[in-house]
Amino acid sequence: MTNRTERIDPEQVAQRAKHLFVEKGLTCSEACLLSAAEALGIESPLLSEIAIAFGGGMGRQGDVCGALSGCIMAISLVASRKASDYAERKKLAMTTAGQFYQKFANRCGSVRCADICGVNLADPESAAQMNEKVRDERCAPAVAEAARLLSDEINQLDDAPSA
């Protein structure tokens, strides 16, 4: 359990997530989780491996946006560093994740990948439309916004007393 004293720069984390997504070709879930983990000083090759299949709305099914999923994973990591007791960690993670879910939905207009990107990724013909233009114009802004919102949540958690 670690208490951080420095605040995370939401714009820096957002730009890093966008870079990982657009330039490095990571999934939206990987990009959000890894950008947050980097800002928190957490390193593990497992993070990318854990998050990879959440891209495209859970294995390209167009369901819950991978950026949202990656951020929720990051919230769990923060909660694990914030509270030593499991019940407190669980309460903190669940409450914060629920609040984040609502903020993401309000900001991005939906939590569903298919709604955000406008492509049915489960259909091979439609999925072919998921080109750089869609990634750049629809997905990348959602990735950046998710990372920005996540940074704000992390900063708020850091400001709260530890359990």
Side-chain angles (χ1 to χ4, degrees):
M1 194 169 67
T2 305
N3 288 326
R4 294 174 355 89
T5 56
E6 59 198 55
R7 296 180 66 75
I8 293 174
D9 180 352
E11 197 53 40
Q12 184 178 356
V13 176
Q15 291 308 311
R16 179 65 176 152
K18 189 174 177 182
H19 171 77
L20 291 170
F21 179 70
V22 174
E23 304 299 324
K24 297 294 185 183
L26 299 184
T27 66
C28 46
S29 51
E30 289 175 285
C32 286
L33 177 57
L34 291 177
S35 65
E38 286 176 11
L40 293 166
I42 299 170
E43 294 181 33
S44 172
L46 293 176
L47 293 176
S48 184
E49 301 303 322
I50 289 167
I52 195 169
F54 288 84
M58 307 286 174
R60 293 191 185 126
Q61 296 305 299
D63 206 351
V64 176
C65 173
L68 173 59
S69 298
C71 289
I72 297 293
M73 288 183 246
I75 287 169
S76 294
L77 286 174
V78 173
S80 74
R81 300 174 97 182
K82 208 50 192 155
S84 57
D85 177 69
Y86 175 77
E88 286 300 315
R89 278 195 315 270
K90 181 178 175 182
K91 179 181 175 184
L92 180 61
M94 298 293 264
T95 300
T96 305
Q99 293 167 349
F100 182 84
Y101 181 100
Q102 293 301 320
K103 289 175 184 177
F104 180 89
N106 290 337
R107 194 68 61 90
C108 293
S110 178
V111 297
R112 294 194 70 248
C113 171
D115 295 341
I116 293 167
C117 75
V119 176
N120 177 2
L121 297 173
D123 173 46
E125 289 182 29
S126 295
Q129 298 172 16
M130 186 58 159
N131 56 28
E132 287 182 30
K133 183 176 180 181
V134 171
R135 281 178 60 91
D136 290 349
E137 292 180 8
R138 294 187 181 197
C139 298
V143 166
E145 188 58 28
R148 198 174 287 113
L149 287 169
L150 175 60
S151 298
D152 289 338
E153 288 294 322
I154 291 170
N155 286 332
Q156 288 177 21
L157 286 171
D158 281 347
D159 291 343
S162 294

